[in-house]
């Protein structure tokens, strides 16, 4: 049914729920899980840092945090005997959703499993929804997972 499952992760509890769900699906289908983190440096900066500080301190710290988060998710899946690899991409000029959809297509993913924060109203209008944009533009099915209560 599914051979390659793409799982975008951001370290949130909702993302953790998506990883767990993808692990179950991978075991049922004997599928390979591809964990993806899209590093959006705008979350780490305010735009007023000196370039040397950004490249010496801020960016390496962000990359290390992203690598650690991917390693934790990978370990959880490997503990369940799921075949998994990781991918860290930097978002340079667009929405995170666009990077996710592009990676799904280039990997030949059969399905994307990702968490949704369930934002509504004003918060959704202001922040947007990467999960919704992925679901609308993905070339493959998308399984949206809510955080476990």
């Amino acid at each position: 049914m599914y051979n390659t499952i793409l799982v975008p992760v951001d370290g949130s509890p909702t993302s953790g729920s998506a990883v767990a769900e993808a692990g179950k699906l991978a075991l049922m289908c004997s599928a390979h899980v591809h964990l993806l983190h899209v590093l959006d440096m705008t979350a780490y900066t305010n735009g007023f840092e000196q370039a040397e500080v950004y490249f010496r301190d801020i960016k390496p710290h962000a990359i290390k945090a992203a690598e650690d988060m991917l390693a934790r998710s990978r370990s959880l899946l490997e503990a369940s005997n799921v075949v998994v690899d990781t991918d860290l991409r930097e978002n340079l000029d667009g929405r995170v959703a666009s990077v996710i959809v592009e990676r799904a297509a280039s990997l030949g993913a059969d399905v994307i499993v990702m968490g949704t924060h369930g934002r509504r109203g004003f918060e959704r209008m202001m922040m947007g929804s990467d999960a919704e944009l992925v679901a609308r533009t993905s070339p493959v099915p998308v399984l949206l997972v809510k955080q476990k209560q």
Side-chain angles (χ1 to χ4, degrees):
M1 181 174 191
Y2 298 124
N3 294 314
T4 303
I5 302 169
L6 177 63
V7 186
V9 294
D10 64 8
S12 68
T14 304
S15 175
S17 295
V19 169
E21 198 65 31
K24 290 187 246 177
L25 186 60
L27 288 172
M28 286 191 296
C29 300
S30 298
H32 174 96
V33 171
H34 187 89
L35 296 171
L36 169 68
H37 178 69
V38 181
L39 185 59
D40 188 356
M41 288 305 299
T42 60
Y44 291 89
T45 64
N46 61 21
F48 295 106
E49 298 86 3
Q50 293 180 346
E52 66 186 49
V53 172
Y54 174 81
F55 287 108
R56 184 191 66 226
D57 299 329
I58 298 170
K59 188 169 183 178
H61 172 75
I63 290 170
K64 175 77 168 92
E67 289 171 342
D68 290 349
M69 184 262 312
L70 282 167
R72 285 189 303 275
S73 296
R74 179 185 194 129
S75 294
L76 289 171
L77 292 171
E78 287 178 338
S80 299
N81 296 315
V82 173
V83 177
V84 60
D85 65 1
T86 61
D87 190 5
L88 176 58
R89 299 285 165 139
E90 189 172 349
N91 181 22
L92 298 173
D93 61 354
R95 290 196 61 148
V96 170
S98 300
V99 178
I100 294 167
V101 169
E102 178 216 76
R103 286 304 292 149
S106 66
L107 286 170
D110 301 300
V111 64
I112 299 171
V113 178
M114 67 185 296
T116 179
H117 294 283
R119 294 184 180 106
R120 298 276 186 258
F122 183 73
E123 184 179 16
R124 180 170 164 233
M125 181 179 78
M126 294 307 292
M127 297 188 71
S129 170
D130 284 314
E132 180 182 3
L133 188 55
V134 168
R136 285 193 290 115
T137 60
S138 174
V140 299
V142 178
L143 173 60
L144 297 177
V145 180
K146 292 182 180 181
Q147 181 179 349
K148 293 185 179 183
Q149 300 297 330

